[in-house]
Amino acid sequence: MSRLRAAKGMNDILPEEVGRWHRLEATYRETMRRYGIREIRTPYVEPTSLFVRTIGEATDVVEKEMYSFTHHSEPLTLRPEATAGAARAYVEHQVHAKEPISKWWYLGPMFRAERTQRGRYRQFYQAGVEIYGDPGPGSDAELIDLLVTFFHALGIRDLDVLVNSIGGPETRVAYKAALVAHLEPRKAELSADSQRRLETNPLRILDSKDPRDQEAVASAPALGDFLTDADREHFASLQRYLTALGTPFRIEPRLVRGLDYYTRTLFEIQGAKEKLGAGSTLVGGGRYDGMIAELGGPSVPAVGFAAGVERLLIATEAAEDAPAVDVYVAPLGAAAIEQALVLGRDLRSAGIAVEVDARGGSLKSQLRRADALRCAIALVLGDAEIAAGVVQAKALAEHAQENVQRTDVVAWIRARVPDRSAGR
Ligand code: HAM
């Protein structure tokens, strides 16, 4: 019988990796708390038409990447992203009538049937924020600044913050016409994909990586020239706010992004290029002022982002992860085992991660096991220690040892290993 494997592009997260996820999630939650952003959880499955209407029929996501199925004649799709679902929930629960501004965050799995590579999977996790009710650009600037702060807290530096404005729907219509007029005579020189996009979604040709497309696009009219005065003022204010916040950014006039719902502000943050290569886009986001009305709600502006959690974890990959436990309790002899169980329990209730070797065994074999677990400390308990009310405490890396009073053990450990109770 052939051995079963996980579906392509879908990953197990094993216990030894889960600590890094917990730490990232804890940092994200703490960032959200500081900004007063509240969590929303929406279904993993939504009506297919939700994504077709918001993300757009002619996008890669809707055309090629959705996991769609029909259940009792209801067309359903595993969510490829969470912006559309959150907006549906916003409209469905008439949230606009309860508060003028809503700020929501989420962290969970998304599904896209993409070609897989390092940092690109078919089930992947996004950490995102959506803000409803502020036409901006203060919220836009604050989100970008929040991301830079979050990345610094994770230890990710060397970031490339790219921003652009694509204006409102009128700008898009006018610009699309001009772009098609420019590219139509050069159609034969375009890649096959872009020849097709010329009919379906010409804006996407702008960020094609194909050199043939890039050459044709180089001489195309600039989107920026088509912005209305109001769009221009919005974009100028965003830049002013980012400068005031000290957030470095770069204007990228060809940034268009792959989802149809965006209006005005677009941004991406790239980083860890040496680890992620072409997949170094850590975050995508922007404004989508038309979506709430499009879904049958009132005219409420919105802006948000989503960061790829696996990509952040790759970016923060350190040489070695923290060990699972810091302290190894080694009892010598039958009488010591019960004392070791009590000591282990007491240390754990003080927040320390402990392995008690309840099998007993020789000191040598127990210390070998402590080494294999990369414990910083071993606590040896034999008859003599029990009689004296002490433990023999060994700092393994330093090859140092001393007898420590049972009542002082927690303080002795705390002085030697970091407190990891925020997440392991
Ligand atoms: P997106 O650009 O499609 O935007 O995805 C955002 C981020 O999710 C990407 O920058 C990347 O880090 C991660 N990501 C996307 N696809 C994959 C994949 N196959 N494997 C691993 N990571 C991936 C959105 O999803 C929008 N909903 C963002 C948004 C929120 N805009 C406004 N609000």
Side-chain angles (χ1 to χ4, degrees):
M1 219 167 54
S2 66
R3 205 139 8 120
L4 281 174
R5 295 173 143 269
K8 189 172 177 186
M10 311 226 174
N11 301 310
D12 299 311
I13 302 160
L14 298 173
E16 55 263 37
E17 300 160 56
V18 133
R20 300 191 62 224
W21 285 75
H22 285 174
R23 282 196 292 282
L24 185 144
E25 289 163 12
T27 308
Y28 192 63
R29 286 205 172 84
E30 174 57 17
T31 308
M32 296 300 111
R33 191 189 66 76
R34 290 186 191 180
Y35 282 81
I37 303 172
R38 296 191 303 159
E39 184 178 1
I40 170 101
R41 297 187 186 187
T42 60
Y44 295 178
V45 175
E46 295 276 1
T48 300
S49 57
L50 172 67
F51 302 115
V52 177
R53 270 165 66 179
T54 55
I55 296 174
E57 210 150 2
T59 57
D60 283 353
V61 172
V62 169
E63 267 186 354
K64 304 189 250 188
E65 297 168 0
M66 295 208 301
Y67 286 96
S68 299
F69 56 99
T70 303
H71 182 256
H72 292 311
S73 69
E74 190 185 8
L76 297 170
T77 292
L78 291 183
R79 62 179 190 186
E81 55 111 58
T83 307
R88 178 204 45 71
Y90 182 89
V91 173
E92 187 169 333
H93 302 284
Q94 302 191 10
V95 180
H96 70 95
K98 300 178 198 160
E99 53 188 19
I101 292 196
S102 304
K103 302 185 180 190
W104 293 352
W105 68 267
Y106 51 84
L107 195 158
M110 311 293 158
F111 304 86
R112 295 183 195 177
E114 293 205 67
R115 276 233 301 273
T116 56
Q117 62 177 55
R118 183 164 167 80
R120 181 182 297 141
Y121 312 104
R122 293 184 174 179
Q123 176 178 327
F124 59 97
Y125 287 71
Q126 280 186 343
V129 169
E130 313 293 348
I131 298 180
Y132 309 94
D134 178 10
S139 291
D140 314 25
E142 217 169 24
L143 284 183
I144 295 170
D145 187 58
L146 173 161
L147 282 160
V148 172
T149 309
F150 172 54
F151 288 167
H152 286 176
L154 292 176
I156 308 174
R157 283 165 195 279
D158 256 345
L159 298 167
D160 238 342
V161 179
L162 312 178
V163 299
N164 193 20
S165 175
I166 55 166
E170 331 76 60
T171 303
R172 255 219 257 197
V173 171
Y175 180 67
K176 250 186 214 171
L179 184 65
V180 171
H182 171 80
L183 291 175
E184 198 61 58
R186 299 170 174 79
K187 189 169 175 179
E189 300 151 32
L190 296 176
S191 69
D193 250 358
S194 289
Q195 293 193 11
R196 197 175 46 80
R197 285 194 185 121
L198 200 51
E199 318 286 331
T200 58
N201 199 352
L203 278 185
R204 286 315 307 276
I205 302 174
L206 287 184
D207 66 357
S208 162
K209 302 282 175 288
D210 192 299
R212 289 169 292 177
D213 298 335
Q214 288 182 340
E215 198 179 313
V217 154
S219 51
L223 205 161
D225 294 340
F226 288 73
L227 296 181
T228 64
D229 287 346
D231 292 337
R232 254 185 254 271
E233 174 50 31
H234 193 276
F235 194 34
S237 299
L238 170 65
Q239 294 168 48
R240 241 188 2 258
Y241 295 162
L242 287 174
T243 305
L245 286 163
T247 310
F249 65 94
R250 182 154 59 82
I251 296 170
E252 177 48 68
R254 303 223 183 276
L255 180 67
V256 288
R257 303 194 24 76
L259 311 165
D260 273 359
Y261 50 63
Y262 290 115
T263 51
R264 293 191 162 168
T265 308
L266 284 185
F267 57 89
E268 276 188 9
I269 300 184
Q270 303 178 351
K273 294 194 177 147
E274 66 303 337
K275 291 180 180 160
L276 280 159
S280 64
T281 301
L282 304 174
V283 186
R287 184 159 276 288
Y288 50 101
D289 291 340
M291 192 190 292
I292 298 297
E294 163 65 31
L295 293 176
S299 169
V300 172
V303 61
F305 70 76
V309 175
E310 288 87 350
R311 294 187 189 183
L312 299 186
L313 287 170
I314 293 171
T316 54
E317 238 162 41
E320 199 171 28
D321 208 355
V325 289
D326 293 313
V327 175
Y328 196 85
V329 177
L332 299 177
I337 291 180
E338 60 192 64
Q339 294 288 323
L341 293 172
V342 173
L343 177 62
R345 199 249 341 255
D346 292 349
L347 295 179
R348 288 176 190 126
S349 66
I352 297 165
V354 181
E355 171 98 354
V356 176
D357 196 336
R359 301 167 306 172
S362 72
L363 180 61
K364 196 168 160 203
S365 71
Q366 293 198 56
L367 290 182
R368 208 181 302 130
R369 175 87 181 126
D371 250 0
L373 291 175
R374 295 188 288 125
C375 292
I377 289 167
L379 302 176
V380 180
L381 266 180
D383 293 339
E385 285 81 13
I386 292 170
V390 298
V391 298
Q392 191 190 117
K394 292 173 176 294
L396 294 171
E398 293 85 44
H399 301 287
Q401 66 175 58
E402 61 183 299
N403 283 346
V404 177
Q405 290 294 325
R406 282 284 289 270
T407 45
D408 297 338
V409 176
V410 170
W412 192 89
I413 295 168
R414 279 270 179 267
R416 285 163 180 81
V417 293
D419 182 0
R420 289 191 246 263
S421 45
R424 190 183 272 277

